[in-house]
Amino acid sequence: MKWPPALIIPSALEDSQQFIDGTPESFICAITLRVMKEPALSVKSGRTYEREALQEWVEKKGTDPLNPSARMDVDDIAPNFAIRDLIEQHVAAVVRLPVLELSLIHI
């Protein structure tokens, strides 16, 4: 499966408690408690997590993080394009850059 590149969130913004507090809860990974850069959908539960954190969880425990009775493997993980686009728009609005310009920033 082809994954889009990870979102780039400026580190000063990413470490800002004000940014975290103003970010919709659905953009925050339940595992890392950080804004997701690579939103990954658990196709078993429909929940979204940070890709790397979800893959590590599934490889170690074989379950959905918020539903331990839902057995899953890494093939049950897919990119969540809709959430990724919304997070990208949110970050762009916070830093007041057009989405295209934000995707060109390499930090």
Side-chain angles (χ1 to χ4, degrees), residues 1 5 10 19 21 23 26 34 45 50 56 58 72-73 90 95-97 101 103:
M1 176 169 303
F19 173 66
D21 291 345
T23 297
S26 59
R34 312 264 313 163
S45 69
E50 179 64 39
E56 287 179 17
V58 170
M72 63 184 290
D73 60 42
H90 173 68
V95 297
R96 292 181 175 79
L97 286 176
E101 283 185 43
S103 66

Side-chain angles (χ1 to χ4, degrees), residues 10-79:
S11 58
L13 188 63
E14 188 176 23
D15 295 335
S16 164
Q17 190 60 46
Q18 184 177 5
F19 173 66
I20 298 293
D21 291 345
T23 297
E25 190 175 316
S26 59
F27 298 174
I28 307 290
C29 174
I31 301 170
T32 66
L33 303 178
R34 312 264 313 163
V35 176
M36 293 178 278
K37 296 177 182 177
E38 287 187 283
L41 180 68
S42 163
V43 298
K44 295 281 185 169
S45 69
R47 293 187 175 101
T48 300
Y49 306 91
E50 179 64 39
R51 177 185 180 186
E52 184 177 334
L54 181 56
Q55 285 179 326
E56 287 179 17
W57 182 282
V58 170
E59 288 169 357
K60 288 179 184 172
K61 301 188 180 199
T63 66
D64 180 273
L66 296 178
N67 185 1
S69 64
R71 302 292 306 161
M72 63 184 290
D73 60 42
V74 292
D75 291 334
D76 297 319
I77 300 171

Side-chain angles (χ1 to χ4, degrees), residues 78-99:
N80 189 328
F81 296 107
I83 291 292
R84 185 192 185 286
D85 290 346
L86 291 171
I87 295 170
E88 186 173 34
Q89 290 171 17
H90 173 68
V91 171
V94 170
V95 297
R96 292 181 175 79
L97 286 176
V99 172

